Amino acid sequence: AIQLTQSPSSLSASVGDRVTITCRASQGISSALAWYQQKPGKAPKLLIYDASSLESGVPSRFSGSGSGTDFTLTISSLQPEDFATYYCQQFNNYPLLTFGGGTKVEIK
Amino acid sequence: EVQLVESGGGLVQPGGSLRLSCAASGFTFSSYEMNWVRQAPGKGLEWVSYISSSGSTIYYADSVKGRFTISRDNAKNSLYLQMNSLRAEDTAVYYCARVDYGGNSTYYYYYMDVWGKGTTVTVSS
């Protein structure tokens, strides 16, 4: 099974900071990766699909990049509403799916 | 409005059973593949099960294989998860999620674009 390792598991940042989260796959998955944001007590929300495509309605400060085994989610200027947990998910061997362990973004 | 609403969660003893439902509205349910995803308290997301749009193809995570059964009724716009032989480690919020896709004949990409709010299952004596 394909494993996804996210780093860091948590980070502290200030409003306006540039934040980068990494997701590494245990084997090559092309660009079959999505990113989700989850706030406490809420369902996950799709941010990025196909590694770098921005979901409709998602602010342009979010961007995704990478292919193969290494992927990044970048928030160019962190906003108060961005404090949440972020998950990557691979679709390379869909419909068998895997999530990363999550990265919690907290206020510094 | 495109919406998924889960129901059926609750407190059940170890070894017991529970049936979750997910009611879909605002889209053509029969055209979409569906999944169940769960999240144990304080933990990350875990994919549980998949069902094709017609219901003919089904997959399960190893952690629930042989105990859980996914099904759907396209006439009722509903997705189900029958959970048997429940264990403490099945305690979680259970989400249903729609999968959409894009691409062309040589490459497809997928994503879970619509999620329900979740229903809580607690397995405890």
Side-chain angles (χ1 to χ4, degrees):
Chain A
I2 298 174
Q3 310 293 329
L4 296 178
T5 302
Q6 284 185 237
S7 60
S9 56
S10 65
L11 64 90
S12 296
S14 301
V15 172
D17 284 353
R18 181 181 182 89
V19 170
T20 299
I21 298 168
T22 297
C23 178
R24 176 163 290 175
S26 58
Q27 64 189 74
I29 60 170
S30 185
S31 60
L33 191 95
W35 288 97
Y36 301 87
Q37 176 194 66
Q38 187 181 34
K39 297 182 178 179
K42 301 294 186 181
K45 172 188 173 184
L46 176 68
L47 298 176
I48 302 285
Y49 60 90
D50 198 29
S52 61
S53 297
L54 192 68
E55 169 71 343
S56 176
V58 174
S60 59
R61 62 181 179 272
F62 291 93
S63 64
S65 64
S67 67
T69 60
D70 294 314
F71 301 86
T72 59
L73 173 70
T74 299
I75 309 172
S76 60
S77 178
L78 197 66
Q79 297 302 301
E81 60 268 30
D82 300 337
F83 292 96
T85 301
Y86 295 84
Y87 294 92
C88 57
Q89 181 190 33
Q90 68 80 21
F91 286 86
N92 186 67
N93 56 344
Y94 180 79
L96 300 178
L97 305 174
T98 315
F99 288 94
T103 296
K104 186 175 184 178
V105 177
E106 299 176 299
I107 301 173
K108 181 182 284 184
Chain B
E1 180 191 4
V2 173
Q3 197 173 11
L4 296 170
V5 179
E6 302 92 339
S7 61
L11 174 63
V12 61
Q13 293 187 338
S17 298
L18 214 53
R19 188 194 196 207
L20 306 184
S21 299
C22 170
S25 60
F27 65 98
T28 305
F29 179 71
S30 59
S31 297
Y32 289 87
E33 299 166 0
M34 299 293 296
N35 289 264
W36 287 98
V37 175
R38 69 183 180 183
Q39 186 169 37
K43 301 297 184 182
L45 301 170
E46 179 189 15
W47 171 76
V48 172
S49 185
Y50 156 94
I51 188 167
S52 62
S53 56
S54 67
S56 60
T57 302
I58 285 171
Y59 290 92
Y60 299 98
D62 288 344
S63 57
V64 306
K65 200 174 297 181
R67 301 187 298 121
F68 288 13
T69 302
I70 191 172
S71 62
R72 65 190 297 161
D73 186 336
N74 287 340
K76 294 183 177 180
N77 292 330
S78 293
L79 174 72
Y80 306 101
L81 186 67
Q82 177 67 44
M83 305 186 296
N84 298 331
S85 302
L86 282 162
R87 307 167 180 166
E89 54 265 36
D90 296 317
T91 294
V93 175
Y94 285 74
Y95 298 99
C96 58
R98 184 182 86 169
V99 172
D100 205 352
Y101 69 95
N104 53 44
S105 58
T106 58
Y107 174 73
Y108 289 101
Y109 53 84
Y110 303 88
Y111 45 91
M112 291 181 174
D113 65 337
V114 180
W115 295 67
K117 293 184 176 181
T119 187
T120 300
V121 172
T122 303
V123 184
S124 175
S125 55

